[in-house]
Every structure is written in structure tokens, then in C-alpha cells.
Amino acid sequence: IGIRRVELERTCLVRSECSVEVFGENAEVKVVDVYGEKHFYPEYESVSQIARKTGKSFSEVYNKIVNECICTK
């Protein structure tokens, strides 16, 4: 019997927020800078609300938001 230990390092990433319009609705998005490359993470509540209002699936709305962010970066 033993205990495994692993030391890990944590890197705090630069994060900002923005909003984009998709399907006529405003969506809040977190923008994370990972070593010079931007990654976009739509807020769950924004995606969920737009999906309910438009009748589109969560994944369709999520992907549309991310694509809008990529096109406007």
C-alpha cells in the first residue's frame, strides 16, 4: 500500500469578456489568452437562453457563438 504524490504547476491565464450577437440575441463570452492564442467560452446562461428563445439546440447556438468570435477576433 502506498500514496502517490505528484507536484503540479498552475498557470493563471489572462481572461477578458466580450459579447457577440447571434440569431438576433446578445451572448456573453469569456475570452482566454493561452500563450498568444485566443480561446472562446460562451457563458452557459447566454447559450441556454438563446437556445430556448430560438428553438435551436444548445450545441448549435454554442458553436455559432464560437464561430462568430473567431471571425471577429
Side-chain angles (χ1 to χ4, degrees):
I1 295 179
I3 298 173
R4 293 182 188 169
R5 295 184 187 185
V6 178
E7 284 195 37
L8 299 174
E9 288 185 28
R10 181 171 188 236
T11 302
C12 291
L13 302 173
V14 177
R15 180 172 71 174
S16 61
E17 295 180 1
C18 71
S19 61
V20 294
E21 188 175 316
V22 291
F23 303 117
E25 301 289 333
N26 218 23
E28 299 298 318
V29 181
K30 287 182 186 154
V31 182
V32 180
D33 190 315
V34 182
Y35 304 112
E37 187 175 320
K38 293 193 185 302
H39 296 266
F40 304 96
Y41 299 98
E43 290 286 348
Y44 174 84
E45 287 301 321
S46 290
V47 178
S48 184
Q49 183 180 29
I50 294 169
R52 278 194 305 275
K53 283 184 176 181
T54 62
K56 299 190 182 303
S57 70
F58 185 93
S59 61
E60 183 178 358
V61 173
Y62 186 98
N63 291 333
K64 177 74 171 169
I65 294 169
V66 171
N67 286 336
E68 284 295 316
C69 290
I70 291 170
C71 291
T72 60
K73 75 174 179 177

